[in-house]
Amino acid sequence: MRHLITLIAAATAVTGLAAPAQAADCDVQCQLDLQHQNAVPRTSFYDAPAPLPWAPAGSVIRKQATSDYTAGPATRIMYHSRTSTGRDVAATAVVLVPEGKTPAGGWPVVVDAHGSSGIGRPCAPSLMKDLYHGNQMMDFVNRGFAVVAPDYAGLGTDGRPELVNKTAESNDVIYAQQAARRVRPDLSSRWVLWGHSQGGGAAMGVAERQRLRPQPGYLGTVLTSPVANLSEVVDHVAATPGYGAFAAMIAQGAHFSDPRIQPRRLLTPEAYDRIGITAIGCLSAAFTAYADLTGPQLVTPAYSTDPAFRKYLLVNSAGTQKLGGPVLLLQGEADTVVPVGVTDQIATAQCRLGTRLTYKTYPGLEHDTYPWVQGIDDGAMPDILAWTADRFAGRAAATSCTR
């Protein structure tokens, strides 16, 4: 959900947000046109071998040097990951490396677990010229960090991502950094994880695992406005004008993960009739398509009661287990997607569990950067960069917990 410059343009009349006048006139086709202008041509690189020969997770299927991105030269990779049920699956990622001489021990690595970009095949950040939030990635690269940026399995490939499935997305993150080192031996074995929104939930899944099945070289996690308590967040977006696309995409992504979950039952007929846009349109197009649907116009009573859907949300929520730290948790106080009170609860729970946690909130920062407001990742980037540098320098992390 980072860097959504035209995100809620069609919803401004409903939400009261002040957007540029020309953005308010950008309908679904206009959003698709903007999406196409930013798109990297999808080639056979993204077609996984069929059938996919089994290989250990983290093994490389193929690699490709590219200059497709405004961020500069990069390496695109396809690698073996695992679904939530342990099935071998192909996933893709991008690796950005600083210019210059490789430092002793290799380039320190930041693994980027991105926020929601959509659920359609075109919505892989690696299929976008700006890498969805390449400006933020370059903040790291310009400070001497390599960035490994997984797409999440399904984005770019078969168009069936297990949206907000903590196990699947955590697998994609972990195995992307393993595959990246096989392609780029100039990368350090040490890494920091950075996760925003949907990616914050994935990063929390990795940090939960770290206590039980430690990954070599892990130095800590940065979380910005993480989607952790899925039941709470899903109910919030369904009831908030302008955010109906989130409700539709989560229902569809949950179905990709568990076929027992039927979006037709969870969404109203009018909302379900629009679900096709999520297969071709990424977040801005989906938001525009669903801008006028909220509450009972958007979801049915089953959205709150369907046993399979509610179990999916519960199982894939994060924040109730101790995280392998240290952890930097950052939250915008003006966030309308993940309210600050939700993240306050995560911080309180993690302190009680004994996680080494630094928690900081920022007045005036939203979930993402829009034309009228700055988002948490952009506004807090100096603190993110400093904390990350401290981890590689071996300095002790501070804690906000008082117990």
Side-chain angles (χ1 to χ4, degrees):
M1 298 176 228
R2 296 190 186 119
H3 191 50
L4 308 180
I5 298 303
T6 57
L7 173 62
I8 319 176
T12 52
V14 180
T15 62
L17 294 172
Q22 66 270 27
D25 297 328
C26 194
D27 61 10
V28 173
Q29 185 57 54
C30 167
Q31 296 289 357
L32 290 173
D33 290 343
L34 291 173
Q35 177 182 309
H36 179 72
Q37 292 171 23
N38 187 45
V40 171
R42 184 187 180 278
T43 68
S44 60
F45 180 89
Y46 289 87
D47 295 333
L52 180 64
W54 184 92
S59 300
V60 177
I61 298 171
R62 58 179 69 115
K63 63 180 179 178
Q64 182 182 70
T66 178
S67 57
D68 286 337
Y69 307 122
T70 55
T75 302
R76 191 181 284 130
I77 61 174
M78 176 179 279
Y79 61 98
H80 289 265
S81 186
R82 295 292 185 265
T83 68
S84 61
T85 60
R87 179 175 57 83
D88 192 9
V89 66
T92 51
V94 162
V95 184
L96 300 171
V97 177
E99 296 180 354
K101 183 180 178 181
T102 304
W107 295 107
V109 174
V110 172
V111 183
D112 168 27
H114 69 84
S116 178
S117 55
I119 60 173
R121 181 180 285 177
C123 304
S126 71
L127 281 173
M128 302 178 188
K129 293 175 184 175
D130 65 1
L131 288 169
Y132 193 46
H133 54 280
N135 59 321
Q136 294 164 359
M137 294 183 193
M138 290 307 296
D139 286 337
F140 286 97
V141 174
N142 291 334
R143 289 286 293 268
F145 302 107
V147 174
V148 177
D151 287 326
Y152 305 134
L155 298 182
T157 51
D158 67 0
R160 296 178 64 85
E162 296 186 78
L163 187 66
V164 299
N165 187 299
K166 182 173 65 175
T167 300
E169 292 176 352
S170 297
N171 287 341
D172 297 336
V173 169
I174 289 170
Y175 300 130
Q177 54 92 17
Q178 293 179 5
R181 284 188 189 82
R182 293 185 169 99
V183 169
R184 294 290 310 237
D186 55 348
L187 300 185
S188 169
S189 61
R190 301 190 302 159
W191 56 288
V192 165
L193 178 55
W194 165 45
H196 170 71
S197 193
Q198 173 192 343
M204 291 177 80
V206 174
E208 288 175 353
R209 285 196 215 178
Q210 191 63 22
R211 292 184 54 249
L212 303 174
R213 300 188 298 278
Q215 291 293 314
Y218 170 85
L219 299 179
T221 293
V222 178
L223 303 170
T224 56
S225 302
V227 174
N229 185 330
L230 291 178
S231 297
E232 196 164 341
V233 170
V234 160
D235 291 341
H236 169 71
V237 297
T240 301
Y243 287 158
F246 282 139
M249 290 190 304
I250 291 171
Q252 183 74 342
H255 168 71
F256 292 152
S257 184
D258 182 353
R260 295 175 300 173
I261 299 170
Q262 293 295 322
R264 190 185 293 275
R265 289 195 65 239
L266 307 179
L267 304 175
T268 64
E270 186 172 7
Y272 185 76
D273 283 347
R274 304 181 191 185
I275 201 72
I277 190 62
T278 65
I280 59 171
C282 300
L283 205 57
S284 293
F287 262 81
T288 303
Y290 281 92
D292 61 331
L293 298 182
T294 307
Q297 290 78 45
L298 175 69
V299 297
T300 69
Y303 193 80
S304 299
T305 61
D306 182 81
F309 183 54
R310 285 290 145 170
K311 181 179 179 181
Y312 182 83
L313 299 177
L314 179 63
V315 168
N316 290 296
S317 290
T320 58
Q321 301 178 47
K322 183 178 179 179
L323 302 179
V327 173
L328 178 65
L329 176 60
L330 306 177
Q331 172 71 37
E333 294 179 11
D335 196 318
T336 54
V337 177
V338 178
V340 63
V342 175
T343 305
D344 286 345
Q345 294 172 18
I346 295 171
T348 299
Q350 287 301 311
C351 285
R352 187 172 59 248
L353 290 165
T355 297
R356 188 164 189 83
L357 177 80
T358 302
Y359 179 45
K360 185 176 181 180
T361 63
Y362 296 77
L365 293 189
E366 243 285 10
H367 195 72
D368 293 291
T369 294
Y370 313 120
W372 55 89
V373 67
Q374 190 173 43
I376 182 65
D377 285 298
D378 288 317
M381 186 55 72
D383 290 339
I384 295 171
L385 291 169
W387 190 90
T388 300
D390 283 347
R391 302 291 72 73
F392 288 102
R395 301 184 186 100
T399 178
S400 305
C401 302
T402 56
R403 76 172 189 86

